[in-house]
Amino acid sequence: MKREGEVRISSGCAISGIFCKDGKRISGEAIRKSIAVMHNRSNGLGGGFAAYGIYPQYKEYFALHIFYDSQLAREETERFLDKRFDIINLSKIPVRQTPKIADAPLIWRYFVLPLPHMLQDSQLDEDEYTSRATIMINDSITGAYVVSCGKDMGVFKAVGYPEDVADFYRIEEYEGYSWTAHGRYPTNTPGWWAGSHPFSLLDLTVVHNGEISSYDANRRAVEMYGYSCNLLTDTEVITYILDYLTRKQRLTLKESSEVIAAPFWSTIAIKDEEDRKRLSYLRKMYSSFLVTGPFSILVGFRGGMMALNDRLKLRSLVAAEKGSTVYFSSEEAAIRVIEENPDRIWAPQGGDAVIVTLEKGADV
Amino acid sequence: MRRYRIRKDESCVSCLRCVRECSFGAITAGDDKSLVFHHEKCTDCQRCVSFCPAGAIYITEDENRFRRNAVFSEDDIKEIRLQAETGGVLLSSMGASGRNVPIYFDKMLLNASQVTNPSIDPLREPMETAVFLGQRPEGIERNQMGDIEDNLPPHLELKTPIMFSAMSYGAISLNVHKALASAAEKLGIYWNTGEGGLHESLYPYKEHTIVQVASGRFGVHETYLNTAAAIEIKIGQGAKPGIGGHLTGKKIIGDVSKTRMVPEGLDAISPAPHHDIYSIEDLAQLVMSIKEATHYEKPVIVKVAAVHNIAPIASGIARSGADIISIDGYRGGTGAAPKRIRDNVGIPIELAIASVDQRLREERIRDRVSVIVSGGIRNSSDAVKAIALGADAVSIGTAALCALGCHICASCHTGRCAWGLATQIPELTKRLDPEKGAELLVNLVNAWTREIKEIMGGMGINSIEALRGNRMALRGVDLNEKELEILGIRYAGE
């Protein structure tokens, strides 16, 4: 049987997110509790977490979380990294043995900076340099897979139910100002660790619930710009599109959301002139990146989080606020379980991005 | 040479309607008003059959057959004899008839949503078919306020991804042009003048007109270029790649002569190449000259035939400053072409779309240009498959003529079209009422658009741009691995 990456697998899911606008770091216990409520939206074949603000002592360094299938793959990858990066710390990611999580790969963490002379010769900025290196590892080193590579953030994922994945990674021991979580219900039987979510590139992480009908149009478009979609998953392609639009095309996240969940032309027609001009420009300019079909996504990025539904709202997504903390989830119950009395709770409209960022003065 | 046999049965009322309708002289009236059949002149255009009030006429393939031979078919032998008698090049019209060239559209099947992803009902939810064709810059520009500036070059806006192919005034009648222009306006799409100029009476349709500049430059002047939404430089067409055109002097009469700017009775011969384009850099100069002449207000289309190395050709065009590439495949129609060329030169449009789209992506310029395809698009599912392979929009010529009455008897080159389409003979051209014709065309394109929406909705796609290049929407049957590889699709069941 083909594993994920060799064949496209669709899946249903649960997602959840917590964001502290004041920059307060909270333990992973809350997000674990939230996603666990939606146990029956997953089928035990994938779960994961993204956390921001968890490595304050190394916040200037790219944190690489890497899965290896073998020591050989690790050695080859470390040789590859050694040539390109200054590795200031490396270790196994601490895990807790649990019978519910099996077949774990070798899971390593590196804190790195590009070697200055290599960076200079490459004529790239350090983000592009690092993203190309990770794409190269995923593409060309058999048995090595970079799970995340941003600064002061990390992705923890596995095959299993999300609450078990949390126990496995001792997620409660991390403290972050921003958390997303994912429980997966893929329609294939063998789960694959790298195929779980969140999916990530640099600081960007995406958890996604849905199955996009525009997949191949989007994939073939984004692959033009140097990305290579190895997993054949929606989440991967959405992540790359967002990276391309925000980092390479310099669109804001709001503008990017207006590209991937663009309003209908009939809606654009009744907007005021300024909006109409911008929205129709974005649709014409980036028509290849319109995403159709059902999706709800949570996008984590340095200092913020975005929640976005497809324009018909074909997947559930609920948002809530309490003080400086913002919650997103596939189901209201998953918010109520950690915050019984939110100040406000609402269902964002299809295509309307909810973007939250750190308040001025928040220290992270 | 006789190919068909005309018969009538006893229900014939001898009204002689068939005699009046037949423009090929295949049915005449004898002295006693009885019908005389000249079987050898019949083209099987079905005009007499359609108009016989008694349903008394039958046109069949002549049952007299040459002796069967495993190598030489009857057509081969007939053509040899015809050429032996005349010493001439065989002429033909409409699309290629290569019997062993597969129609790949028929070997691709479409996807639909089940369970994991909802299908969308076009009657309940918006279903978008609008397409914008033109160049896209490489990045955005912002003003000092940080707002995005509109740096998009001019685009064509189509309400549905279907337009009418180039067919020239001269090859077809003014009434056909009127029907096409008026239908394009009503539909929010475009029609194309072809290379014979634009009749002044059609100037009011300029917002929906694409004017063509071909190698003969017939009817090309400044007003012509500016009486259009876009200008198309025609390098070639699918029915006769590498070959120019020849409109016989018999058709260069009256307004055709005036519109083409060719003296009456003189043959209008378009050279095989443009004599100012001997290479790709010359094309870039012509593109820019046309943009100068039209003040950079209109997109420029470059139309080529699908030939063996169409992918690098398309790449060259994309880099020439052209906004849109139009590719016409092996099965594209024509008013007249040498038969050997029509049936043996070029490649099927399906393969051309796939290889061009893939090549432009590999070169990272697919988003820079738009691609229109044509050549054997017969119905809405062909259009959907063409778009899923990578086209932005399709163009229909033969199908549009069929809507107006054409039965593809492939006798356009005789100039005696009984349906009044590919002719300039006044008593024939008046057979098409342009208003009625426009209504038929509008109905056809609206019907296809409804079907496209239905198909898209089934796939859970609610905007046409999400279908473009979405090759996972397609699966192949009865194709070999090489064909699947070129089409970039998987086999059914994979």
Side-chain angles (χ1 to χ4, degrees):
Chain A
M1 191 161 174
K2 286 178 172 168
R3 93 172 173 180
E4 191 145 23
E6 296 169 316
V7 62
R8 183 167 136 81
I9 306 291
S10 55
S11 61
C13 304
I15 58 177
S16 192
I18 306 173
F19 187 83
C20 305
K21 290 195 280 188
D22 55 3
K24 187 176 76 181
R25 289 195 170 78
I26 58 168
S27 136
E29 185 53 34
I31 193 80
R32 179 199 179 282
K33 217 167 147 187
S34 167
I35 195 79
V37 168
M38 299 183 284
H39 180 86
N40 61 359
R41 294 182 75 98
S42 323
N43 65 358
L45 293 178
F49 300 83
Y52 291 80
I54 54 172
Y55 299 132
Q57 67 276 38
Y58 292 115
K59 64 186 197 189
E60 304 309 318
Y61 298 86
F62 291 97
L64 308 184
H65 287 194
I66 308 186
F67 288 160
Y68 298 118
D69 286 348
S70 66
Q71 292 293 352
L72 204 69
R74 181 175 66 83
E75 285 159 18
E76 191 183 345
T77 307
E78 288 183 358
R79 273 198 302 277
F80 176 94
L81 289 174
D82 249 342
K83 275 189 225 155
R84 291 165 178 81
F85 294 92
D86 186 8
I87 303 175
I88 65 131
N89 183 315
L90 78 170
S91 63
K92 281 187 180 173
I93 293 184
V95 297
R96 177 185 288 134
Q97 294 305 321
T98 149
K100 290 176 176 165
I101 302 288
D103 300 326
L106 307 168
I107 309 169
W108 283 71
R109 172 166 56 207
Y110 305 82
F111 292 101
V112 304
L113 272 185
L115 288 171
H117 66 279
M118 293 289 287
L119 181 62
Q120 201 177 356
D121 289 352
S122 72
Q123 301 184 341
L124 303 170
D125 62 33
E126 62 168 20
D127 281 350
E128 181 65 15
Y129 180 93
T130 307
S131 84
R132 285 197 191 180
T134 60
I135 288 172
M136 219 184 290
I137 292 171
N138 293 345
D139 245 3
S140 59
I141 302 181
T142 312
Y145 187 81
V146 180
V147 177
S148 62
C149 60
K151 288 181 175 176
D152 198 14
M153 59 77 69
V155 168
F156 304 89
K157 62 187 184 180
V159 172
Y161 283 101
E163 60 273 23
D164 300 329
V165 174
D167 294 341
F168 176 76
Y169 279 108
R170 298 156 64 163
I171 214 81
E172 73 283 359
E173 294 175 9
Y174 295 88
E175 289 187 340
Y177 64 87
S178 170
W179 288 90
T180 62
H182 187 258
R184 194 162 183 232
Y185 193 138
T187 51
N188 63 331
T189 32
W192 182 40
W193 283 57
S196 301
H197 304 185
F199 191 83
S200 137
L201 183 67
L202 297 170
D203 295 330
L204 203 64
T205 59
V206 176
V207 289
H208 156 257
N209 171 20
E211 181 188 333
I212 60 179
S213 52
S214 54
Y215 174 77
D216 216 30
N218 301 145
R219 175 188 68 85
R220 298 181 71 235
V222 81
E223 284 197 340
M224 263 196 284
Y225 302 105
Y227 299 89
S228 121
C229 296
N230 298 314
L231 296 180
L232 306 183
T233 64
D234 297 348
T235 319
E236 176 188 50
V237 85
I238 290 173
T239 307
Y240 288 156
I241 289 174
L242 282 169
D243 180 65
Y244 174 72
L245 294 177
T246 55
R247 198 163 56 84
K248 300 201 172 159
Q249 288 287 311
R250 304 265 169 221
L251 294 187
T252 64
L253 263 179
K254 171 102 166 65
E255 288 160 352
S256 303
S257 76
E258 290 164 347
V259 169
I260 64 178
F264 288 100
W265 286 113
S266 52
T267 311
I268 292 175
I270 53 173
K271 298 269 183 190
D272 66 41
E273 197 192 336
E274 197 183 318
D275 283 350
R276 195 168 62 234
K277 270 169 71 178
R278 183 186 74 256
L279 291 167
S280 58
Y281 173 87
L282 290 171
R283 270 202 82 167
K284 287 189 224 171
M285 178 78 173
Y286 298 110
S287 62
S288 306
F289 299 114
L290 173 70
V291 177
T292 61
F295 67 86
S296 57
I297 57 173
L298 293 180
V299 180
F301 55 97
R302 191 183 304 179
M305 191 181 291
M306 173 173 84
L308 181 66
N309 250 153
D310 66 87
R311 52 200 193 149
L312 288 182
K313 200 167 173 76
L314 296 170
R315 282 289 184 271
S316 52
L317 180 68
V318 184
E321 266 178 345
K322 175 80 176 185
S324 290
T325 307
V326 183
Y327 303 88
F328 299 105
S329 183
S330 300
E331 293 181 13
E332 188 175 330
I335 295 174
R336 297 271 186 198
V337 73
I338 47 175
E339 179 47 67
E340 234 183 313
N341 294 304
D343 302 334
R344 178 181 169 220
I345 188 155
W346 78 102
Q349 294 276 306
D352 274 356
V354 180
I355 299 169
V356 288
T357 51
L358 289 171
E359 288 159 349
K360 267 202 185 114
D363 178 34
V364 293
Chain B
M1 247 172 279
R2 187 159 81 196
R3 181 146 189 194
Y4 306 102
R5 189 174 278 272
I6 311 165
R7 288 192 179 82
K8 62 166 192 164
D9 64 21
E10 64 286 354
S11 57
C12 172
V13 294
S14 299
C15 66
L16 303 186
R17 180 73 193 257
C18 52
V19 175
R20 291 194 297 280
E21 293 302 330
C22 182
S23 57
F24 296 100
I27 308 178
T28 56
D31 292 341
D32 56 351
K33 298 275 171 85
S34 68
L35 297 181
V36 184
F37 297 144
H38 310 272
H39 305 290
E40 72 286 354
K41 290 185 176 168
C42 178
T43 64
D44 195 15
C45 75
Q46 296 283 314
R47 180 82 185 181
C48 57
V49 175
S50 306
F51 280 81
C52 174
I57 303 184
Y58 303 86
I59 311 288
T60 54
E61 297 265 339
D62 191 354
E63 58 266 49
N64 285 329
R65 283 289 159 208
F66 288 6
R67 190 171 191 282
R68 191 177 292 275
N69 182 283
V71 180
F72 282 79
S73 70
E74 179 168 338
D75 280 348
D76 293 327
I77 298 167
K78 282 182 176 167
E79 284 164 8
I80 288 169
R81 289 173 53 91
L82 185 60
Q83 288 191 295
E85 279 165 22
T86 62
V89 169
L90 293 173
L91 277 184
S92 62
S93 32
M94 301 313 283
S97 67
R99 284 181 296 270
N100 295 318
V101 181
I103 297 178
Y104 288 99
F105 287 129
D106 292 338
K107 293 168 184 267
M108 292 186 283
L109 297 170
L110 292 160
N111 195 24
S113 303
Q114 297 288 292
V115 186
T116 55
N117 165 339
S119 41
I120 301 169
D121 185 346
L123 297 175
R124 291 163 191 270
E125 304 284 352
M127 192 60 67
E128 300 186 307
T129 55
V131 176
F132 292 82
L133 305 178
Q135 269 192 67
R136 292 185 194 89
E138 294 203 345
I140 56 161
E141 287 162 26
R142 289 185 192 273
N143 63 17
Q144 286 172 333
M145 308 285 290
D147 298 330
I148 296 176
E149 294 270 285
D150 186 352
N151 60 352
L152 280 172
H155 275 62
L156 292 181
E157 178 181 354
L158 285 75
K159 292 232 164 67
T160 187
I162 302 164
M163 52 211 289
F164 299 127
S165 301
M167 291 181 278
S168 73
Y169 177 38
I172 55 174
S173 70
L174 183 59
N175 279 349
V176 178
H177 263 199
K178 278 183 182 158
L180 290 167
S182 153
E185 184 181 69
K186 291 190 176 88
L187 288 162
I189 59 169
Y190 299 89
W191 74 289
N192 189 314
T193 62
E195 67 165 327
L198 176 65
H199 193 271
E200 276 189 30
S201 68
L202 299 175
Y203 282 9
Y205 297 100
K206 74 180 261 194
E207 300 299 329
H208 296 275
T209 303
I210 295 169
V211 294
Q212 200 179 61
V213 174
S215 60
R217 304 287 152 87
F218 301 126
V220 176
H221 47 82
E222 196 180 338
T223 311
Y224 172 74
L225 295 178
N226 283 295
T227 311
I231 295 99
E232 176 170 281
I233 299 172
K234 178 199 171 186
I235 303 295
Q237 74 182 81
K240 43 181 173 178
I243 297 288
H246 182 166
L247 190 68
T248 157
K250 278 188 288 185
K251 288 186 176 176
I252 313 283
I253 44 170
D255 277 7
V256 175
S257 151
K258 198 173 148 210
T259 307
R260 286 211 173 211
M261 306 194 303
V262 172
E264 284 208 349
L266 200 69
D267 289 5
I269 297 178
S270 328
H274 285 246
H275 283 304
D276 53 358
I277 304 179
Y278 278 31
S279 181
I280 191 82
E281 64 272 20
D282 297 337
L283 174 67
Q285 288 192 1
L286 182 59
V287 169
M288 293 323 281
S289 309
I290 287 174
K291 288 195 172 185
E292 279 289 331
T294 54
H295 322 289
Y296 297 86
E297 285 166 356
K298 300 171 199 300
V300 172
I301 306 167
V302 174
K303 176 178 177 177
V304 284
V307 289
H308 296 179
N309 52 342
I310 185 66
I313 291 169
S315 162
I317 295 170
R319 295 170 196 280
S320 72
D323 302 87
I324 301 165
I325 306 172
S326 176
I327 306 170
D328 192 21
Y330 170 74
R331 291 204 150 72
T334 177
K339 187 169 193 299
R340 297 290 169 249
I341 301 285
R342 187 196 70 174
D343 293 351
N344 293 282
V345 180
I347 64 171
I349 191 63
E350 302 92 321
L351 301 179
I353 304 167
S355 62
V356 165
D357 178 68
Q358 186 57 29
R359 177 64 170 262
L360 295 179
R361 284 170 195 271
E362 283 163 12
E363 297 191 19
R364 303 185 175 187
I365 50 176
R366 178 62 187 88
D367 278 345
R368 201 192 289 179
V369 286
S370 298
V371 177
I372 303 170
V373 302
S374 57
I377 306 282
R378 300 159 299 175
N379 50 48
S380 61
S381 56
D382 286 354
V384 167
K385 291 170 188 176
I387 292 167
L389 281 174
D392 287 87
V394 303
S395 196
I396 56 170
T398 301
L401 291 180
C402 288
L404 299 176
C406 171
H407 283 59
I408 319 191
C409 70
S411 309
C412 323
H413 56 290
T414 65
R416 306 198 58 84
C417 176
W419 294 91
L421 308 174
T423 179
Q424 302 305 326
I425 300 168
E427 46 279 21
L428 296 177
T429 59
K430 74 177 186 203
R431 290 180 176 185
L432 176 72
D433 170 2
E435 275 176 36
K436 176 68 185 163
E439 196 185 312
L440 294 167
L441 291 166
V442 167
N443 284 342
L444 176 74
V445 174
N446 280 339
W448 285 20
T449 303
R450 284 187 193 106
E451 291 175 336
I452 289 172
K453 289 179 175 183
E454 204 73 61
I455 294 170
M456 282 166 51
M459 292 194 278
I461 289 173
N462 57 10
S463 187
I464 196 85
E465 54 257 55
L467 179 65
R468 186 187 57 214
N470 195 334
R471 295 193 188 170
M472 280 208 191
L474 299 170
R475 286 291 188 277
V477 286
D478 193 23
L479 294 172
N480 64 37
E481 285 206 10
K482 193 70 196 176
E483 291 169 317
L484 292 168
E485 179 194 319
I486 293 167
L487 291 167
I489 63 171
R490 296 189 175 190
Y491 208 86
E494 260 192 298

